[in-house]
Amino acid sequence: MSAPERSVAATVGALDVERLRRDFPALAQEVRGRPLVYLDNAATAHKPRAVLEAVQHYYAREYSNVHRGVHWLSERATEAYEGAREKVRAFLNAPDRREIVFVRGTTEAINLVAASWGGANLRPGDEVLVTEMEHHSNIVPWQLVCERTGAVLRVAPIDDDGNLLVEEFERLCGERTRIVAVTQLSNALGTINPVRRLVEIAHAHGALALVDGAQAAPHMPVDVQALGCDFYAFSGHKLYGPTGIGVLWARRELLEAMPPYQGGGEMIRQVTFEGSTWAPPPAKFEAGTPHIVGAIGLGAAIDYVRGVGLEAIARHERELLAYADEALAEVPGLRLIGRARERAGLVSFVFDDIHPHDVGTILDHEGVAVRAGHHCAMPVMQRYGVPATARASFALYNTREDIDALVAALHRVRSMFGR
Amino acid sequence: MSDLRDLYQEVIFDHNRNPRNFGRLEGATHRAEGFNPLCGDQLTLYLKVGEDGRIEDVAFEGKGCAISTASASLLTESVRGRTLEEAERLFRGFHAMIMDEPAGEPVELGKLEVLAGVKEFPARVKCATLAWHTLHAAIEGQEQVSTE
Ligand SMILES: Cc1ncc(COP(=O)(O)O)c(C=O)c1O
């Protein structure tokens, strides 16, 4: 399976969504006696057959541990695992395959950077700058390392529409700022951040920049060289790949200098009881048997999305978002949370007098799966003074009919509540 | 298949729209705060226990979904005038009903039975029990309780 470079978008212009939907067996099922309308893609996306088959095939035919055996199967497994690393490299346009570290997901990637880079480099009084719209996984690892090192966490505010206040960000980025950690696309608000600009600001102050790409990677082309960042993290499961696999990309010099995150097999050069030396990256950060088949499944997912074309996916989802904005404006009493100038992938909303959990339960009964909750972004909920929101989030396989079903179900919510 | 109307009965909408005994209670002898971190629900429950050991007055405030608000409102109506022991017994009976487990002892739940439909909605069990866990905490003298 070589990475297909062709883009359907270039030839067709629009996605053939009906055809693509047939690639996803999970979409064909009924829930509660109704066809599934899956609008919880920001939580996790369904898997195309290509991914399911890759996972099945590797377990059934080419499975073995990697980097360990001299036998045929182990060589095949190693080749496939390292092949997946190359696919990730190409997907991110990273300069070097050795900069791709396989981890459990975005959460582990950020924890790795915070613990390893942060633990080695942060001093009392140093500052870590995040934004008010971060996911808990881009807040809590920094709090932990700040507690350990005496560094201080600073938070750049957002406005009422969910735009990051870039001037405030710039003002907060100062002499003591050692790293900024920002999401490229907010999972709670749908805001797209001007990451390139934020990275420039960080670098101008001598700070490093980590980008949380958990939401961005499935929805827009990503080029870490164009972004100019130092670390990039994303999760396989939101990109139509398996759970339990994700990626940390980091510039090679940084990985070379950073201490190991976990110790064990694979990450060493030599071990004696007097002391050990480390393997070069990425092995240094991949202690133990990795999620081999997860990585291979992620490689298949990347082939799939690149085959469809990220530009085409982004365009399709932009149309869905515009359609949803218009349709939701017609639902009385509904208020969008997050109306930033640049948005993608999702709509987050509340009713003033109906709790999101009630909305979620009633929608579920109509076969419409959305997320109701704080979306692991409690500070965002506090910022807007709501306990939770309902969120509909899109994938390449969603259609206008899905949004029509959402809106019809929302009308049902209102009529049930007699409002 | 579970029917939505089993969950959202008219009585529940009524208690959600017009929660009974809503607000602060001056002179409370017991007080606890309950959180449901999953949905951001939060409520404070107040009890005023008389010299005879009975709940003379009870109130709650906070915000939550229809199920948690109605459940709290119904709770206040059903524990008023009871001893703390009786209130705890009601909690055990209510819990058994929601979890669809056999009650260890016979308990007259009365109008609390409108919440029986919750057992078909596992994702909403914590909404229905938040007020009761908070009541239990208040009786035990704990100040805060979380359903997670
Ligand atoms: C913006 C953002 N960052 C980080 C994460 C964490 O990803 P994971 O749970 O896959 O580690 C998520 C997932 O919900 C997210 O939306």
Side-chain angles (χ1 to χ4, degrees), chain B residues 13-107:
Chain B
F13 285 126
D14 174 39
H15 278 263
N16 179 47
R17 267 191 292 268
N18 307 301
R20 321 296 197 262
N21 305 305
F22 190 81
R24 258 187 114 74
L25 184 62
E26 297 303 330
T29 55
H30 297 65
R31 172 184 178 283
E33 265 181 88
F35 298 97
N36 182 343
L38 194 67
C39 45
D41 288 0
Q42 180 217 343
L43 67 83
T44 306
L45 192 84
Y46 305 91
L47 297 178
K48 188 170 177 183
V49 179
E51 307 227 314
D52 58 356
R54 287 186 182 276
I55 298 171
E56 268 175 21
D57 207 353
V58 48
F60 80 103
E61 60 184 354
K63 50 185 173 187
C65 63
I67 303 302
S68 84
T69 304
S71 179
S73 172
L74 286 158
L75 174 151
T76 61
E77 287 195 321
S78 44
V79 302
R80 188 190 295 272
R82 296 188 190 257
T83 66
L84 296 180
E85 176 44 39
E86 286 166 353
E88 291 273 39
R89 185 160 351 113
L90 262 186
F91 175 28
R92 289 194 295 273
F94 180 77
H95 199 260
M97 171 181 80
I98 299 278
M99 301 304 288
D100 207 11
E101 288 163 358
E105 57 205 328
V107 185

Side-chain angles (χ1 to χ4, degrees), chain A residues 32-33 353 355 357-363 365-366 372-374 378 385-388 412 415-419, chain B residues 1-5 7-8 10 13 16-17 36-41 63-67 120-121 123-124 127:
Chain A
R32 306 193 190 276
D353 45 6
H355 193 284
H357 258 205
D358 295 313
V359 175
T361 295
I362 297 168
L363 260 45
H365 261 252
E366 303 287 315
H374 53 60
M378 284 186 180
V386 294
R412 174 99 207 277
S415 72
M416 275 193 78
F417 271 72
R419 303 291 161 93
Chain B
M1 197 190 83
S2 51
D3 186 344
L4 216 43
R5 282 286 168 194
L7 180 65
Y8 291 107
E10 229 8 88
F13 285 126
N16 179 47
R17 267 191 292 268
N36 182 343
L38 194 67
C39 45
D41 288 0
K63 50 185 173 187
C65 63
I67 303 302
E120 303 292 340
F121 294 80
R124 306 304 297 277
C127 310

Side-chain angles (χ1 to χ4, degrees), chain A residues 24 41 43-59 81 84 87-88 102-106 214 218 234-247 290-305:
Chain A
F24 293 80
N41 296 287
T44 197
H46 285 292
K47 319 305 171 198
R49 209 167 268 114
V51 169
L52 303 175
E53 283 168 2
V55 167
Q56 161 78 16
H57 172 83
Y58 276 90
Y59 272 128
Y81 182 67
K87 288 175 186 185
V88 173
F102 283 121
V103 291
R104 221 154 39 84
T106 307
F234 73 93
S235 300
H237 69 98
K238 296 182 201 279
L239 186 68
Y240 312 98
T243 54
I245 189 76
V247 169
H291 189 358
I292 302 163
V293 180
I296 291 166
L298 173 57
I302 286 175
D303 284 345
Y304 184 83
V305 293

Side-chain angles (χ1 to χ4, degrees), chain A residues 8-44:
Chain A
V8 173
T11 51
V12 185
L15 293 190
D16 183 354
V17 176
E18 282 317 313
R19 186 177 60 77
L20 293 173
R21 286 180 71 83
R22 290 199 289 275
D23 294 337
F24 293 80
L27 298 179
Q29 64 192 312
E30 295 202 335
V31 297
R32 306 193 190 276
R34 289 165 187 273
L36 170 65
V37 175
Y38 188 77
L39 292 170
D40 194 17
N41 296 287
T44 197

Side-chain angles (χ1 to χ4, degrees), chain A residues 127-134 139 143 152-158 164-165 168-169 171-172 379:
Chain A
E127 293 174 5
V128 175
L129 178 59
V130 299
T131 79
E132 202 177 0
M133 71 177 91
E134 297 309 316
I139 301 173
Q143 288 175 328
V152 181
L153 187 66
R154 297 254 180 254
V155 184
I158 58 179
L164 177 67
L165 293 169
E168 286 298 302
F169 181 92
R171 202 179 55 73
L172 284 162

Side-chain angles (χ1 to χ4, degrees), chain A residues 182-319:
Chain A
V182 296
T183 191
Q184 193 171 7
L185 170 52
S186 155
N187 69 309
L189 299 167
T191 307
I192 300 176
N193 277 321
V195 168
R196 245 167 107 155
R197 172 89 189 99
L198 303 180
V199 171
E200 273 171 23
I201 294 171
H203 287 172
H205 292 85
L208 296 181
L210 174 143
V211 177
D212 171 352
Q215 292 298 334
H219 299 295
M220 58 183 76
V222 173
D223 180 334
V224 291
Q225 297 190 62
L227 290 176
C229 56
D230 303 289
F231 301 100
Y232 194 92
F234 73 93
S235 300
H237 69 98
K238 296 182 201 279
L239 186 68
Y240 312 98
T243 54
I245 189 76
V247 169
L248 170 67
W249 169 81
R251 283 194 297 108
R252 181 124 165 265
E253 321 80 91
L254 291 168
L255 289 178
E256 300 274 2
M258 281 158 57
Y261 173 55
Q262 295 180 331
E266 298 294 347
M267 53 73 70
I268 43 78
R269 176 167 283 142
Q270 194 168 26
V271 176
T272 68
F273 282 112
E274 286 65 50
S276 303
T277 52
W278 319 133
K284 180 163 75 174
F285 298 101
E286 293 183 2
T289 298
H291 189 358
I292 302 163
V293 180
I296 291 166
L298 173 57
I302 286 175
D303 284 345
Y304 184 83
V305 293
R306 295 188 85 200
V308 176
L310 272 147
E311 292 285 0
I313 293 171
R315 188 162 350 107
H316 170 68
E317 291 174 353
R318 216 160 28 238
E319 282 166 20

